Amino acid sequence: PDCEILISTPSAFEQISEDHMNALPNLKLISTTSVGVSWIDLEAARRRGITVSNQRGVNAQSVAEHCMGMMFSLSQRITEADRKVRAGGEFVSDDFEGFELAGKTLGVIGLGDIGSKVAKMSSTIFEHIVGINKSRNPVEGVEISDLVSVLSHSDVVVVAVPANDDTEQMLSTEEIKRMKPGSLLVSISREHVIDKEAVLKAIESGHLGGFALELDKPVSIPADDPYFQYDNVVVTPHSAAETAESTSRYQSMTVENIQAFLSGEPIRVVN
């Protein structure tokens, strides 16, 4: 109860609420080992005079590379082929015909730290990159557009938006219908950004050529989840940021946040 600095991660708290803060009367700093802060009552922290610092950019490179891997997995049907080989079933190579990303259009919904890195890495592969940037600030190599245009013109759509009230169910039935037949959807955002039922119906009908997503942490899903009924759905267990480099940055940025706060010049302040 005499804690002055709290270091935490969303896997430890469903929410850091005002009740938690009231139980820690000496609390001055919350340093979160995450980028997202939707699980912290920022307004309550502001009222209490508690500084909240996050770790913006800590995992951007790792998550962007993971996103690229999911794109290649879907387009070349790598994960699907691996499953079939391991199962020992009869198959021939042309059972897994995919398509090249070269010459195609990539759409990036959310051009923050992660989305902009995905766009940069993709610039040597895709012929055209379009995207949505809430700030409308220019991003090198990306044509800033609107949601309708991005969905209707892209062969691959990457979703990299933060979790908040504005992005909940951002892509549902009508939005997915606007996507090109056979296109791929890759999401490294929180699950509730995309309507699960809508995307599975699009996979079932063949309108979507594939879907890849990162699960929310620390929530697991059952073995009979509808996602697993489809070979062209790739699911990862919130593992995109789990690299040696990212882990090292989580540690060093936590120390930086605390040192900066103690010096009277806090950094990465979100409230």
Side-chain angles (χ1 to χ4, degrees):
D2 58 351
C3 165
E4 295 175 283
I5 295 174
L6 174 65
I7 303 168
S8 189
T9 172
S11 62
F13 283 89
E14 182 176 344
Q15 183 187 34
I16 296 182
S17 66
E18 186 164 16
D19 287 341
H20 288 116
M21 298 176 203
N22 290 337
L24 303 172
N26 297 327
L27 187 62
K28 297 178 176 65
L29 170 69
I30 298 172
S31 183
T32 168
T33 58
S34 66
V35 179
V37 291
S38 60
W39 52 286
I40 301 173
D41 189 335
L42 297 179
E43 179 59 25
R46 188 192 63 77
R47 289 195 303 269
R48 286 276 316 277
I50 299 168
T51 299
V52 180
S53 291
N54 74 342
Q55 295 193 345
R56 180 175 179 180
V58 63
N59 56 23
Q61 184 66 32
S62 297
V63 177
E65 290 184 15
H66 186 94
C67 183
M68 297 295 294
M70 291 199 290
M71 276 197 277
F72 286 122
S73 180
L74 289 178
S75 65
Q76 296 281 354
R77 301 176 68 179
I78 295 170
T79 303
E80 184 180 346
D82 178 77
R83 291 184 194 129
K84 293 292 176 65
V85 171
R86 288 171 185 269
E90 292 292 329
F91 68 92
V92 291
S93 58
D94 57 10
D95 283 345
F96 305 103
E97 183 181 67
F99 66 86
E100 295 178 354
L101 299 179
K104 304 298 193 300
T105 295
L106 171 68
V108 183
I109 300 174
L111 287 162
D113 292 329
I114 297 170
S116 60
K117 285 184 180 293
V118 170
K120 183 176 182 179
M121 285 190 282
S122 299
S123 62
T124 60
I125 304 170
F126 289 87
E127 182 176 14
H128 189 208
I129 301 176
V130 294
I132 299 172
N133 191 2
K134 187 176 180 179
S135 69
R136 301 297 295 182
N137 291 332
V139 176
E140 185 178 357
V142 181
E143 177 188 343
I144 304 300
S145 188
D146 57 74
L147 182 61
V148 172
S149 294
V150 168
L151 293 174
S152 59
H153 291 100
S154 300
D155 300 286
V156 179
V157 172
V158 168
V159 183
V161 297
N164 55 46
D165 291 342
D166 293 334
T167 60
E168 184 163 359
Q169 301 286 284
M170 185 178 187
L171 297 186
S172 191
T173 301
E174 292 306 311
E175 289 77 21
I176 292 171
K177 281 181 179 178
R178 294 182 183 276
M179 295 179 65
K180 294 172 68 171
S183 59
L184 306 179
L185 179 61
V186 176
S187 176
I188 43 87
S189 295
R190 291 296 180 91
E191 290 174 65
H192 68 247
V193 169
I194 297 175
D195 184 329
K196 182 174 182 176
E197 183 177 351
V199 78
L200 288 176
K201 283 183 177 179
I203 290 289
E204 174 78 33
S205 69
H207 179 68
L208 279 182
F211 177 50
L213 76 153
E214 268 269 90
L215 295 177
D216 288 351
K217 187 177 182 178
V219 179
S220 60
I221 60 176
D224 60 351
D225 188 277
Y227 283 138
F228 302 141
Q229 297 177 18
Y230 304 97
D231 291 333
N232 55 343
V233 173
V234 174
V235 179
T236 55
H238 207 83
S239 56
E242 299 298 330
T243 63
E245 294 82 2
S246 182
T247 297
S248 177
R249 285 192 294 270
Y250 279 117
Q251 296 167 354
S252 62
M253 290 174 78
T254 297
V255 174
E256 290 169 3
N257 283 352
I258 294 171
Q259 288 177 330
F261 177 79
L262 294 177
S263 71
E265 298 181 356
I267 57 176
R268 307 185 186 104
V269 177
V270 294
N271 69 328

